[in-house]
Amino acid sequence: MYKTKIDNLDLKQIADSGQCFRWKNTGENEYTVVAFDRALRIKQDGNEFELDCDEADWNNIWKSYLDMDTDYAGIAKLIADGDDAHLKEAYAYGSGVRILRQDLWEMIVTFMISQNNNIKRITNSVDLLCRRCGHKIDGSAEGGELYTFPKPLEVPDEVFDDRSMGFGYRAPYLKEIYGYGANNPDWLDNLRKMSYDEAMESLLTRKGIGKKVANCICLFGLHHVDAFPIDTHVKQLLDKYYSDGFDFERYKGVAGIIQQYLFYFEL
DNA sequence: CTCCAGGGCAGCG
DNA sequence: CGCTGCCATGGA
């Protein structure tokens, strides 16, 4: 058990913010998080957190995952000092939203599934995929068994042909990316070394990854915080509240986080 | 019944 | 280039 205080972090807000599809609400103010082939139970009481791990795991894994190295207080000040009334309202509503540093492969596959899809169906497909092709994580009996996210070579082709997975028309894209990942084992590490623009270019060469999905992968899987994914909701919100244009220049370097506040508020 | 969901692709002009 | 129709699927 590790205890710590964290500001600008709300488990429920993050769980509902549409960036992670494998968080489970396992109790009052308690979530079970699955990432990097591990599970972690987190309990929140205000800004006090109890994490079901030791201090070494916190320092080595979860501290980074929860984006403790980003200055969220500074972003709060940037918003407060500005004159964007709608953004201030959005921030007041979801100041506990963060951009998690999630597993890159999981983000690639998950956001390919997400295209022209809804969060409930995305969650269901991801869950079915993990259950069928991942392996069980130790000590995950209570609150349902937990599984790792299937890596390349861990998903047989027939899984993509199975209609009950709910992949719909995206199934061939997923089959292709799993094959590409298997044949190009250095791809993920190379992506991690690239700039935002380079990563976008590499991602866009894959079938089923367009501009929006590539931006989500850059933001959630590579932590390129300037990535600003524009989906149907963000497009609507930009039209509604920012018909004169959004001030990307002011929020350069944190635009992706701002986008997430706006997105979460719009939901 | 239609419309929509954290879109992208191919086929046009 | 931009525009359009289509893609599979379940819920509203």
Side-chain angles (χ1 to χ4, degrees):
Chain A
M1 186 70 71
Y2 180 75
K3 294 188 182 184
T4 185
K5 286 191 180 184
I6 308 172
D7 291 323
N8 299 306
L9 171 57
D10 186 293
L11 296 178
K12 179 172 169 46
Q13 289 178 12
I14 292 177
D16 296 340
S17 73
Q19 61 177 302
C20 50
F21 299 89
R22 300 216 294 150
W23 280 34
K24 292 186 197 305
N25 184 207
T26 48
E28 184 132 359
N29 299 318
E30 177 191 299
Y31 285 82
T32 298
V33 175
V34 190
F36 310 119
D37 299 347
R38 295 160 178 269
L40 174 71
R41 274 193 310 138
I42 312 178
K43 265 184 134 166
Q44 174 171 19
D45 181 10
N47 67 345
E48 296 182 357
F49 293 81
E50 278 185 23
L51 301 96
D52 193 15
C53 68
D54 58 28
E55 187 169 355
D57 279 351
W58 165 254
N59 284 319
N60 294 329
I61 304 164
W62 302 112
K63 187 177 173 185
S64 164
Y65 177 78
L66 294 173
D67 202 21
M68 295 303 294
D69 300 324
T70 295
D71 179 18
Y72 282 89
I75 298 171
K77 188 169 175 5
L78 186 65
I79 295 171
D81 291 346
D83 59 353
D84 185 335
H86 180 256
L87 176 56
K88 287 183 182 184
E89 193 182 353
Y91 183 73
Y93 180 77
S95 61
V97 172
R98 285 171 173 247
I99 304 292
L100 301 173
R101 295 183 188 250
Q102 301 188 73
D103 176 72
L104 177 56
W105 179 251
E106 181 171 340
M107 292 303 97
I108 291 173
V109 175
T110 300
F111 279 93
M112 287 179 74
I113 294 173
S114 80
Q115 67 158 274
N116 197 26
N117 207 343
N118 59 61
I119 291 179
K120 188 182 170 79
R121 287 192 74 245
I122 300 163
T123 304
N124 186 245
S125 283
V126 169
D127 189 55
L128 288 173
L129 180 62
C130 293
R131 239 168 237 289
R132 182 154 169 183
C133 301
H135 42 271
K136 202 197 289 186
I137 295 172
D138 290 340
S140 63
E142 44 185 297
E145 295 172 341
L146 301 170
Y147 294 83
T148 62
F149 192 90
K151 297 173 174 57
L153 297 174
E154 291 187 338
V155 183
D157 277 353
E158 68 220 35
V159 172
F160 302 111
D161 302 328
D162 183 347
R163 294 292 187 80
S164 71
M165 299 299 288
F167 296 140
Y169 71 92
R170 313 160 193 84
Y173 301 154
L174 296 169
K175 188 189 285 189
E176 199 277 341
I177 201 70
Y178 263 88
Y180 186 78
N183 292 327
N184 299 272
D186 296 334
W187 186 46
L188 298 180
D189 276 336
N190 289 335
L191 280 172
R192 284 188 256 264
K193 293 172 191 160
M194 293 177 192
S195 68
Y196 168 50
D197 289 337
E198 291 167 344
M200 282 293 289
E201 188 181 347
S202 180
L203 287 165
L204 288 171
T205 63
R206 298 294 99 215
K207 272 197 178 183
I209 301 182
K211 202 170 173 184
K212 188 269 170 183
V213 169
N215 267 307
C216 282
I217 295 167
C218 282
L219 182 57
F220 302 129
L222 293 167
H223 211 268
H224 286 305
V225 193
D226 261 327
F228 195 95
I230 299 179
D231 72 320
T232 53
H233 295 117
V234 175
K235 188 177 173 58
Q236 286 170 27
L237 133 203
L238 287 176
D239 288 344
K240 216 190 313 179
Y241 303 106
Y242 299 95
S243 52
D244 295 334
F246 181 77
D247 190 357
F248 286 99
E249 198 54 40
R250 175 175 173 82
Y251 302 105
K252 201 172 175 60
V254 293
I257 300 176
I258 301 296
Q259 182 268 8
Q260 198 63 11
Y261 293 140
L262 295 172
F263 176 82
Y264 176 68
F265 185 51
E266 189 70 10
L267 284 190

